[in-house]
Amino acid sequence: MTTSTDLLAFRPKYSYHPYFLLAFHLNILPDHLLLRIPKSTRHDWKQKNTQLLFGYDWYLQHQSSFTIMQQVFTNEKLLQINKALLRVIALTRFLKKYSTRIKEHIGNAGGVVLGNINKNKKVLPLQVILKYLQLPYPAYLQLKRQACRQSLLNLCRLKHPAQLLSKEVAIIKSYCTDACWLHWPLSSVYHQLIRDKAAAFTISTFYKYVSLLKLQRVQVPHRRKNHHTGIRAAAPLQIIHADATIYRTLDNAKNYIYLVQDNYSRAILGHRVAQSCKAQYVFENLAAVKEQYLQPAGMASCQLITDDGSENQGAVHFLTSTHEPPFIEHLIAQQDIEFSNSMIEAANKQLKYRFLYHRSIPDFAALQKFIAQAIEDYNNRPQAVLNGLTPLEVLNGKRYDKETYRQQIYAAKANRMAHNKRTSCCSYSF
């Protein structure tokens, strides 16, 4: 049977590292390493007269330093503090060497600084670390904001979990840059996003993130006028508007676009394109609206608002003077009533500035094609004034469900906060 003495007999002869000998004499070697040193070797080291060795006088001069080393190594708290201090010293050199990269946000230099400060905060107070680094607290906060690269707001997701998720920001960007909706107003893009249930947040949040993303929208310069609230109907088809506007194609020909619009839903009920201005075209447009909308809806009467242009005279009077239901009462804007015909004028403007002016329309035939597309786009575009519904939906009787919208926003916010609290983010707390 092999004994422990026999095993010791087969031990190889070691050559010991100087730091190993130093640790032995400082009595800081772990027990499992001490057991691997033969007893004879340990006895020889203990009994050796160190006073006769070269360098003993130098050791006496620095004995206090070696005593400090012994105390630090045998005390876990002191060891952690010394490691933290060494990191601070290294970090001071790093700050001097890469100050330009940190200031100009090049690479991840700021993240390296914050990572080391975060490690040291577990041992040393933040005020002590910043004092040694000569780093003002506002500069430290600025570094933390830079570190939250996942956040468009430069805010820690763990501390500010209500901010939008990265995927929600990507959805805003995709909707605002989609060619299908590039000519839409932002309010319509927002309501389209909500209707598609792609995300859920308030319109003010949407505008805020669009601004932060610096998304370039196709906009035609225009002048803004302050109008008073005009006449408003209580139900679809109670009040309709008629108007004509001029549009020049690329061949410099003057074309007339005749529209009829419902006041309540803002839907464009009828349109016609002609190369001349005649009351006959207005009459034909209104007759078609009467046949397709007013009569099937069982309307007994309806008010028609136009301006005092010549195209709204003649044949139009014949239509409005007939007693065949529904009866159409013709009112001249700013004469028979104090209100203007601004609602349909705004629709004319939107058709041009949001659609037609973004197309190259060579001639009359092309205009007929594009005006149909423009009106279809307008009637099926969610509008903020209709609480995100489209004009055709309101015309067909759909109503805005405020409670469902509110619940959708609250549910999305709760989900967003839960997700942000689970994220790794930058691991720093503001």
Side-chain angles (χ1 to χ4, degrees), residues 87 91 109-121 147 426 428:
R87 269 197 296 266
L91 198 53
V112 172
V113 174
L114 287 171
N116 281 276
I117 291 176
N118 191 52
K119 290 178 182 178
N120 287 350
K121 279 169 58 179
C426 57
Y428 309 113

Side-chain angles (χ1 to χ4, degrees), residues 151-164:
S151 169
L152 195 62
L153 300 174
N154 288 327
L155 294 176
C156 178
R157 292 189 180 278
L158 298 175
K159 189 68 176 179
H160 304 272
Q163 60 185 299
L164 296 189

Side-chain angles (χ1 to χ4, degrees), residues 176 179 181-185 215-221 353-354 357-358:
C176 289
W181 305 312
L182 205 56
H183 58 283
W184 284 14
L215 298 174
Q216 296 296 322
R217 301 281 296 166
V218 178
Q219 293 287 351
V220 178
Y353 283 82
R354 297 282 181 189
Y357 287 165
H358 300 282

Side-chain angles (χ1 to χ4, degrees), residues 139-151:
Y140 166 69
L141 290 181
Q142 185 62 31
L143 277 175
K144 290 175 72 174
R145 292 189 179 93
Q146 295 170 15
C148 287
R149 295 174 180 268
Q150 298 178 9
S151 169

Side-chain angles (χ1 to χ4, degrees), residues 235-240 262 264 269 293-294 297 299 301-302 395:
L237 304 177
Q238 286 184 350
I239 302 173
I240 60 176
D262 175 48
Y264 183 80
L269 306 177
Y293 292 97
L294 300 181
M299 301 295 296
S301 63
C302 173
L395 181 66

Side-chain angles (χ1 to χ4, degrees), residues 86-99 102 132-133:
L86 289 173
R87 269 197 296 266
V88 169
I89 293 171
L91 198 53
T92 304
R93 296 170 184 166
F94 185 87
L95 283 168
K96 291 180 179 178
K97 185 175 181 179
Y98 297 105
S99 59
I102 295 170
Y132 279 123
L133 294 176

Side-chain angles (χ1 to χ4, degrees), residues 406-418:
R406 184 181 299 170
Q407 291 176 2
Q408 186 179 353
I409 296 294
Y410 287 161
K413 182 178 180 180
N415 177 67
R416 187 180 305 125
M417 294 183 69

